[in-house]
């Protein structure tokens, strides 16, 4: 009998973390690497949030809390859902976890049985399929492409639904493509789900506040109230409030699933860090003006990166509505040869050669389920982005 579980054997380590680690190793060797792999804002956590955490420590808020969140935070989350999304939840409908990642994982652990199918539009956040596999569920990938700006069509969704479908995992704006669904596009998706009553919707709204006008963020249960009873709305403070290390994510949904998620969490990690919870209360109830300011800074960087990448030979970069990623196609470079004779057979080879030759670290598209593409995170300084894009242009032009 082997030591390791069979379901774990199917799970891959996160490729985005692998790229970030490799870039850090090369930097430590003295190489001039520009990392475009990071999945976190380069801004710092605002001072009022840090102060709230320091106060929590001083006030002795350092003990166990209820497993899925303190009442004050649940209340702040209910107020946030009402204020920003027009969604009415009561505290018993809220679950707080150690990051959005744990909340998503809890929901899948709480609901999946072996063989249940989970629909995941590609390109997808790397963790979705692996989390489903960890629970012996079956990820069913719905392909999209550069032609549809990486958005899933209602027809493709309809065709993917079977009697075994348990969930659709939906993420707008998306990691890795940045694609954001407009109200009409979202309605077309929710209309399909309204016709299939057995399908639940897990919406990952982590990038809600990193969205660029004229695009307006909407969440599915807001667009189609008829889906409220079978929607889990997941969000968190990591990206919006630059709090990735604090590890606070949350969800609103039907009481039954929230209670099941509490059970999962109470038998694994118990409560998320008490101090981080108080910091999250301040994040959600304190000043919100900086959110738009930071989004405007990200939008400027998006425009810079999209424009420079579209000037590179063989690269086509759609203009995404949000998040801090672009996901260009490199179809025009596949089959070309690098200076050392390496044939660019796929996006993984492209990214490896880009790192070796021009010292730019980006994540290959196959990691997110759509090729040939690569993901650029522009959560870094304008100077670094300009230099990185010039290097990518030079690398693309060097291929013959
Ligand atoms: C789409 C998406 N969902 C969820 C998460 C997880 O967020 P957290 O850091 O709060 O666990 C991430 C983080 O990269 C993400 O990109």
């Amino acid at each position: 009998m082997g030591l390791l579980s069979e379901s774990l054997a199917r799970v891959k380590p996160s490729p985005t973390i692998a790229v970030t680690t490799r870039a850090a190793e090369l930097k430590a060797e003295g190489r001039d690497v520009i990392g475009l792999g990071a999945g976190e804002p380069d801004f710092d956590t605002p001072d009022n949030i840090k102060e709230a955490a320091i106060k929590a420590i001083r006030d002795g808020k350092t003990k166990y809390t209820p497993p899925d969140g303190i009442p004050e935070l649940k209340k702040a989350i209910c107020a946030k859902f009402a204020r920003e999304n027009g969604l009415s939840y009561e505290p018993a409908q809220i679950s707080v976890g150690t990051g959005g990642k744990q909340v998503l994982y809890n929901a899948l652990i709480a609901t999946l049985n072996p063989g249940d199918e989970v629909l995941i539009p590609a390109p997808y956040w790397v963790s979705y399929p692996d989390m489903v596999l960890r629970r012996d569920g079956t990820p069913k990938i719905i392909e999209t492409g550069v032609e549809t700006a990486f958005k899933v069509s209602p027809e493709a969704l309809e065709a993917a639904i079977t009697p075994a479908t348990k969930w659709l995992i939906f993420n707008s704006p998306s990691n890795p493509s940045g694609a954001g669904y407009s109200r009409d596009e979202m309605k077309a998706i929710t209309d399909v789900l309204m016709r299939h009553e057995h399908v639940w919707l897990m919406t990952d709204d982590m990038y809600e506040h990193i969205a660029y006008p004229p695009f307006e963020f909407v969440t599915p249960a807001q667009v189609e109230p008829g889906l409220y009873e079978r929607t889990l709305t997941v969000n968190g403070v990591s990206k919006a409030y630059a709090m990735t290390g604090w590890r606070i994510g949350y969800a609103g949904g039907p009481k039954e699933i929230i209670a099941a998620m509490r059970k999962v969490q109470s038998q694994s990690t118990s409560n998320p860090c008490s101090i981080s919870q108080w910091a999250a209360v301040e994040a959600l109830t304190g000043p919100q003006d900086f959110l738009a300011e930071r989004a405007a800074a990200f939008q400027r960087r998006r425009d810079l990166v999209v424009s420079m990448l579209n000037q590179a030979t063989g690269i086509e970069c759609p203009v995404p509505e949000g998040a801090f990623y672009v996901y260009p196609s490199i179809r025009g470079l596949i089959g070309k040869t690098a200076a050392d004779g390496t044939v660019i057979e796929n996006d993984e080879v492209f990214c490896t050669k880009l790192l070796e030759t021009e010292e730019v670290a980006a994540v290959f598209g196959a990691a997110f389920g759509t090729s040939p593409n690569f993901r650029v995170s522009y959560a870094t300084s304008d100077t670094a982005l300009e230099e990185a894009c010039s290097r990518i242009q030079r690398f693309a032009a060097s291929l013959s």
Side-chain angles (χ1 to χ4, degrees):
M1 192 200 298
L3 172 65
L4 301 182
S5 101
E6 283 168 22
S7 67
L8 187 65
R10 290 193 283 275
V11 174
K12 302 181 299 304
S14 163
T16 45
I17 293 176
V19 169
T20 318
T21 311
R22 180 74 190 121
E25 280 167 7
L26 288 174
K27 256 190 192 163
E29 286 169 18
R31 305 266 304 263
D32 174 26
V33 174
I34 305 181
L36 303 179
E40 60 185 349
D42 52 323
F43 299 118
D44 198 3
T45 306
D47 283 342
N48 62 309
I49 299 175
K50 291 182 183 170
E51 289 304 327
I54 292 164
K55 181 168 182 319
I57 295 173
R58 294 224 164 90
D59 290 352
K61 304 270 182 15
T62 52
K63 305 282 201 271
Y64 291 133
T65 78
D68 62 355
I70 53 176
E72 292 82 351
L73 181 52
K74 290 190 174 190
K75 194 172 150 217
I77 292 166
C78 291
K80 176 261 178 266
F81 276 132
R83 179 178 76 231
E84 295 180 346
N85 311 117
L87 292 177
S88 168
Y89 289 117
E90 53 181 278
Q93 291 179 280
I94 302 294
S95 184
V96 184
T98 300
K101 198 173 209 166
Q102 188 185 27
V103 173
L104 292 159
Y105 193 68
N106 285 347
L108 292 169
I109 294 277
T111 56
L112 288 186
N113 289 310
D116 284 349
E117 293 176 358
V118 179
L119 303 180
I120 304 174
Y124 44 73
W125 181 45
V126 290
S127 296
Y128 301 143
D130 290 289
M131 286 181 175
V132 172
L133 287 170
R134 181 68 192 83
R135 193 55 181 164
D136 294 323
T138 306
K140 275 194 77 179
I141 307 303
I142 310 177
E143 306 288 340
T144 71
V146 74
E147 319 71 49
T148 57
F150 302 111
K151 293 178 201 173
V152 67
S153 69
E155 295 76 20
L157 173 60
E158 181 89 54
I161 294 174
T162 74
T165 307
K166 185 83 157 259
W167 288 101
L168 164 67
I169 303 186
F170 191 79
N171 174 218
S172 164
S174 147
N175 176 7
S177 71
Y181 289 67
S182 68
R183 183 174 282 273
D184 287 350
E185 288 165 340
M186 182 92 77
K187 184 74 172 63
I189 296 296
T190 57
D191 282 352
V192 174
L193 296 180
M194 285 302 284
R195 293 195 288 275
H196 298 274
E197 282 181 9
H198 67 291
V199 181
W200 284 66
L201 174 60
M202 196 178 297
T203 177
D204 178 346
D205 296 352
M206 203 54 75
Y207 293 93
E208 166 176 15
H209 285 293
I210 305 169
Y212 314 127
F215 172 75
E216 278 179 29
F217 171 85
V218 278
T219 192
Q222 174 186 25
V223 170
E224 177 47 81
L227 281 179
Y228 175 85
E229 291 297 339
R230 50 188 165 107
T231 298
L232 187 73
T233 305
V234 180
N235 209 318
V237 294
S238 298
K239 315 285 175 174
Y241 298 91
M243 292 176 69
T244 45
W246 298 76
R247 311 306 303 130
I248 295 290
Y250 56 84
K255 281 183 195 160
E256 186 189 3
I257 180 170
I258 295 293
M261 289 164 65
R262 182 186 315 124
K263 191 153 95 178
V264 173
Q265 191 156 294
S266 69
Q267 295 295 21
S268 55
T269 58
S270 290
N271 64 273
C273 169
S274 58
I275 299 150
S276 298
Q277 290 190 65
W278 284 102
V281 170
E282 174 62 21
L284 295 176
T285 58
Q288 305 290 311
D289 314 349
F290 72 95
L291 294 174
E293 287 160 25
R294 288 184 173 185
F298 278 131
Q299 183 168 7
R300 234 192 17 252
R301 294 174 185 175
R302 175 202 66 177
D303 293 343
L304 168 77
V305 170
V306 168
S307 149
M308 286 190 76
L309 290 178
N310 275 325
Q311 288 167 47
T313 322
I315 296 184
E316 183 189 349
C317 185
V319 186
E321 288 84 4
F324 35 69
Y325 310 104
V326 292
Y327 197 63
S329 160
I330 53 158
R331 202 172 296 282
L333 298 175
I334 296 300
K336 291 199 169 190
T337 308
D340 68 353
T342 307
V343 177
I344 306 297
E345 283 173 0
N346 54 42
D347 47 34
E348 187 165 1
V349 177
F350 174 84
C351 285
T352 307
K353 280 282 131 198
L354 180 64
L355 182 57
E356 278 174 14
T357 344
E358 290 289 353
E359 300 176 325
V360 172
V363 187
F364 55 95
F368 308 99
T370 306
S371 288
N373 294 81
F374 66 111
R375 188 190 77 172
V376 165
S377 161
Y378 50 87
T380 188
S381 73
D382 294 23
T383 334
L385 288 172
E386 237 170 278
E387 172 61 20
C389 290
S390 303
R391 292 186 194 183
I392 295 171
Q393 288 176 351
R394 192 164 60 207
F395 179 64
S398 76
L399 303 173
S400 54

